[in-house]
Amino acid sequence: MRILFFTPYIGFNYGGIPKAVEELASAIGKLDASVDVVTTDANNLEKISVPLKKWIDKKNYRIIYFPCWNRQDFVISIPLIIWLCQHIHEYDIVHCHTVFAPIVLIVDWMCQYRHIPYVVTPHGMLEPWALSYKARKKQIYYNLLEKAALQNANAIHVIASLEASNVRSLGFQQIVNVPNGIHRQEFEYLPEPEIFYQQFPITRNKSLILFLGRIDPKKGLDLLAPAFAKVHDKFPQTHLVVAGPDNIGFMTTVQRYFRQAQCLDAVSFTGMLTGNLKSAALAAANLYVAPSYSEGFSMSVLEGMASGLPCVITNGCNFPEAAIAQAAYVVDINSDAIADALIHCLSHPQQAKAMGDRAREFIFQNYTWDRSAEKLVQVYQAIISRNSLTEYFAISSNSASNG
């Protein structure tokens, strides 16, 4: 089976989508499938420094980058489109990542014209909050173009049960629910926190609350600022670490949130953390927080839980299974609820640690890339064989509850 992954961008300045694409490609490539990833050199306000228009071998897959013109996440690449016109017929199935992108729409149209089955992963872009952000433009684009492309897709791949419900409410039925995952071995033994303390000495000897994510309006940092101010007033030894890239120049606004809440001095903005430094930050942290208004299915939430951290996440993170398993505090999307949950964790450290231990085991059992890859390959095979997807949806959506 020859599988083409298409994504307009794979630079890590775009957040969790690029990591999900690469991890899925690698995991599926281990399962007797040939996976090619086609993308551009876009990296938000920058470009990725890579060889262009030539295949690069990765672990279990290969990738090719094309030059493009882009403005943040709006990407156009004529060389890429020409290449697809010449080669898309060589694949058994095409898997497109993200929506509301004209270049993805062109790929969808090519698949329809060539009668090649295709799958679309919205990555949370069809969630109510995401649709309401810049709503007028999205409504016009959706009604004129995106809706038909999604209706013609052989499957819409969602990554959370609530996302499945929200996409179904838009009138789509061909939905498969296969969540993101982690590599268990990366979280079984975290490095020493000292690596992080040396890089950010102000965090030493503090109770660290860790936020991992892009500096973006949907991440709820406007809620986290007053929530953390309330926490810091009660627990002066706490320190908030905001770790993530500023893709859209939103940092000045975010810093103003914390300045107005009078707790900016107790916050460290580290920029994006990767590799050992990111793992050391997870090891150094006492709590993890995700105050998001909307997520598809957050990679960083999985990483926080897999690290054994007590986690406070909003119901915008689309992870009710974590609450059912008593593996995280899932709270309403408001600053008081976030603050109260963080204060409860700090006030009851043994109870919080027990929840972190449950979280770690819950993620290890249910949310790994190998499991996700196996389910997606089943979906691809069913589509290519023109079988019903109903049983695959049932397997995928029930995976966490079945353990």
Side-chain angles (χ1 to χ4, degrees), residues 179-340:
N180 289 335
I182 52 97
H183 292 296
R184 176 172 179 150
Q185 63 271 23
E186 293 180 3
F187 296 90
E188 288 181 325
Y189 302 100
L190 293 175
E192 288 298 318
E194 184 63 26
I195 300 171
F196 182 76
Y197 296 144
Q198 288 181 0
Q199 190 78 16
F200 303 99
I202 194 173
T203 65
R204 191 184 295 274
N205 299 321
K206 299 293 177 73
S207 295
L208 298 184
I209 301 172
L210 178 64
F211 166 92
L212 277 176
R214 288 176 293 128
I215 310 301
D216 187 275
K218 81 169 187 175
K219 296 296 184 177
L221 290 164
D222 58 327
L223 303 176
L224 183 56
F228 176 65
K230 186 176 178 181
V231 172
H232 187 61
D233 184 59
K234 189 172 180 65
F235 295 94
Q237 80 279 14
T238 54
H239 191 91
L240 177 65
V241 176
V242 177
D246 179 19
N247 296 339
I248 59 174
F250 196 55
M251 178 66 81
T252 301
T253 301
V254 169
Q255 290 175 332
R256 187 176 73 246
Y257 295 151
F258 287 96
R259 187 178 299 110
Q260 290 173 341
Q262 300 183 336
C263 60
L264 183 61
D265 290 345
V267 183
S268 292
F269 297 92
T270 66
M272 185 173 179
L273 301 179
T274 59
N276 268 356
L277 188 56
K278 178 181 178 180
S279 298
L282 288 163
N286 299 91
L287 298 173
Y288 171 95
V289 63
S292 294
Y293 288 101
S294 177
E295 297 284 349
F297 191 60
S298 171
M299 287 296 308
S300 66
V301 168
L302 292 181
E303 291 169 346
M305 293 176 69
S307 300
L309 290 175
C311 295
V312 174
I313 67 178
T314 63
N315 50 32
C317 293
N318 272 356
F319 205 4
E321 294 87 354
I324 294 169
Q326 298 183 325
Y329 284 115
V330 181
V331 302
D332 291 337
I333 306 173
N334 67 71
S335 59
D336 285 340
I338 295 165
D340 290 347

Side-chain angles (χ1 to χ4, degrees), residues 16-65:
I17 294 176
K19 181 173 177 61
V21 170
E22 292 192 341
E23 296 290 3
L24 277 176
S26 179
I28 291 171
K30 293 194 297 186
L31 300 176
D32 197 27
S34 173
V35 183
D36 288 344
V37 177
V38 176
T39 189
T40 73
D41 61 347
N43 196 19
N44 201 271
L45 302 177
E46 307 169 352
K47 297 289 187 184
I48 304 174
S49 180
V50 290
L52 300 176
K53 298 196 286 188
K54 63 181 292 185
W55 288 109
I56 301 171
D57 289 328
K58 297 282 190 173
K59 187 178 181 180
N60 305 318
Y61 70 98
R62 61 179 187 166
I63 186 169
I64 187 169
Y65 298 85

